[in-house]
Amino acid sequence: MADQSLTIRQPDDWHVHLRDGAMLEAVAKSTARQFARAIVMPNLNPPITTVQAAQAYRERIRQAAGGGFTPLLTAYLTDSIDPAELERGFREGVFSACKLYPANATTNSAAGVTSLEAITAVIETLERIGMPLLIHGEVTDAEIDIFDREAVFIERQLAPLLERHPGLKVVLEHITTADSVDFVAAGPANLAATITPHHLHINRNAMFRGGLRPDFYCLPVAKRELHRIALRSAATSGNPKFFLGTDSAPHPRNAKESACGCAGIFCAPFAIESYATVFEQEGALDKLEGFASEFGPRFYGLPQNQGTIRLSREPQLIPERLHLSGVELVPFHAGENLPWRLQP
Ligand code: DOR
Ligand code: ZN
């Protein structure tokens, strides 16, 4: 009989969208309830591009999340961002990393980078100071099939980038393909990847089951089953190049369920239970702690958390909707039973 409870070192979320204003108030505690730290994405409107803006945002997050949670801020790269500002923010402990959005790849990415060549000076600075570059790895060319955009990005952009800058620390964020698994696994130690709970649970059919299902739409979009299987095997392998990043990306329900629904899955509320479910299904619960709590800090050069969390094997029905601080949200796994429950 399976163990009835599981205690692990407290995990961190190495990729999350906490937003700002009312949405930040609504979602921050979902993350803080499980994770000691989180790498917070900078794709606000306007994006976080200065040390001063990051400090102010960090304070707003601390207020919304409450005590015991450490937000780690990122800088949003644009074609014209000043590398000296990034270096100063990194040295002062305000910026933990830089986020590269190819322009127009996803939500609030219009101000993103139009070509890697445009930011050569930035990349040279990151490589020199050891500041991680977090990449949304999709090409944006409309003629490339949306299901191929991650694999084409690796071939056309990422592989040449790593050849030009062998010392650059790179996290390929929210990987969705077997191609990415293979590329990261075969790459140098300074290349890693985050994996979301939803890409471990769903394949692309989820978006079309019985009708159009916007709650399963995110970017990069979920791929075929063979890719999901490859992601599950990477996440549960114990390979330290793969670690936890939820990419929880909340949008109000009416913005998801509309004629042009926003990309993003709100997976934060039950994220650790969601991952635990996958690891149990794969017979790899003993690998959860490395993936969730050890490999991320190791890559970022940060200490591991000292506290622990306890999950009990106790089914919980995930609500169809959440009303948090006046915002209506649909959580990932809405209406499903998850076999694990995080103990308060
Ligand atoms: O689905 C997504 N939503 N993918 C992203 O890359 C951005 C995110 C968001 O900010 O909503
Ligand atoms: Zn994201």
Side-chain angles (χ1 to χ4, degrees), residues 10 50 119 182 188 220 320:
Q10 190 172 14
T50 65
I119 57 160
D182 293 345
E320 294 282 357

Side-chain angles (χ1 to χ4, degrees), residues 15 17 41 99 101 174 247:
H15 183 130
H17 300 264
M41 290 299 122
K99 179 65 191 278
Y101 287 105
H174 42 55
D247 197 19

Side-chain angles (χ1 to χ4, degrees), residues 19-41:
R19 316 298 195 202
D20 211 345
M23 187 62 95
L24 172 62
E25 293 300 322
V27 305
K29 288 199 168 66
S30 294
T31 292
R33 147 182 179 272
Q34 307 160 63
F35 300 109
R37 298 170 289 198
I39 284 275
V40 183
M41 290 299 122

Side-chain angles (χ1 to χ4, degrees), residues 6-331:
L6 175 69
T7 299
I8 59 168
R9 186 186 293 280
Q10 190 172 14
D12 304 298
D13 185 351
W14 299 96
H15 183 130
V16 69
H17 300 264
L18 294 179
R19 316 298 195 202
D20 211 345
M23 187 62 95
L24 172 62
E25 293 300 322
V27 305
K29 288 199 168 66
S30 294
T31 292
R33 147 182 179 272
Q34 307 160 63
F35 300 109
R37 298 170 289 198
I39 284 275
V40 183
M41 290 299 122
N43 62 332
L44 305 183
N45 197 4
I48 302 288
T49 55
T50 65
V51 178
Q52 193 186 7
Q55 278 170 316
Y57 183 39
R58 184 166 66 178
E59 204 39 54
R60 296 196 296 280
I61 297 169
R62 284 184 180 141
Q63 291 296 327
F69 175 71
T70 303
L72 303 172
L73 279 277
T74 55
Y76 180 113
L77 297 183
T78 66
D79 284 355
S80 59
I81 199 158
D82 179 5
E85 181 77 0
L86 302 173
E87 181 166 0
R88 181 169 74 85
F90 186 60
R91 297 212 186 279
E92 290 178 3
V94 178
F95 288 138
S96 296
C98 289
K99 179 65 191 278
L100 172 77
Y101 287 105
N104 301 315
T106 186
T107 308
N108 287 344
S109 63
V113 170
T114 57
S115 83
L116 286 174
E117 286 66 35
I119 57 160
T120 300
V122 166
I123 290 172
E124 284 169 357
T125 299
L126 304 187
E127 185 177 19
R128 175 170 54 78
I129 68 178
M131 184 176 187
L133 177 64
L134 316 183
I135 299 184
H136 182 110
E138 287 191 286
V139 292
T140 53
D141 327 28
E143 67 275 18
I144 307 286
D145 190 282
I146 191 166
F147 294 100
D148 297 333
R149 286 180 192 170
E150 184 174 288
V152 173
F153 181 88
I154 291 177
E155 184 189 310
R156 291 193 190 165
Q157 313 255 354
L158 184 56
L161 175 73
L162 291 168
E163 268 182 33
R164 290 197 299 275
H165 301 277
L168 186 66
K169 264 177 121 159
V170 170
V171 184
L172 186 56
E173 299 288 339
H174 42 55
I175 58 171
T176 63
T177 59
D179 312 67
S180 290
V181 168
D182 293 345
F183 184 78
V184 171
N190 51 310
L191 173 66
T194 53
I195 305 181
T196 75
H198 37 285
H199 291 111
L200 295 172
H201 278 277
I202 62 166
N203 64 31
R204 61 190 192 177
N205 292 322
M207 289 180 290
F208 309 106
R209 203 182 61 228
L212 198 52
R213 306 286 297 265
D215 297 326
F216 299 112
Y217 173 56
C218 65
L219 290 169
V221 73
K223 309 293 193 297
R224 287 178 181 277
E225 179 65 0
L226 73 91
H227 297 290
R228 186 180 77 102
I229 290 169
L231 294 169
R232 286 170 76 101
S233 110
T236 59
S237 65
N239 182 339
K241 290 159 120 332
F242 300 101
F243 49 84
L244 187 158
T246 64
D247 197 19
S248 180
H251 295 275
R253 187 173 76 86
N254 60 359
K256 293 277 305 167
E257 297 175 13
S258 86
C260 188
C262 296
I265 294 180
F266 181 44
C267 60
F270 307 96
I272 196 66
E273 292 98 326
S274 179
Y275 283 115
T277 302
V278 169
F279 278 68
E280 182 181 40
Q281 288 165 348
E282 296 292 323
L285 273 177
D286 60 320
K287 300 289 197 321
L288 180 63
E289 184 171 41
F291 175 81
S293 317
E294 294 174 355
F295 304 154
R298 192 184 298 176
F299 185 85
Y300 277 83
L302 293 170
Q304 293 185 354
N305 298 317
Q306 288 309 306
T308 57
I309 60 163
R310 192 163 72 88
L311 292 155
S312 56
R313 212 175 181 300
E314 202 186 311
Q316 63 171 326
L317 180 62
I318 306 306
E320 294 282 357
R321 291 172 194 184
L322 295 172
H323 294 89
L324 301 169
S325 305
V327 183
E328 189 180 22
L329 291 147
V330 178

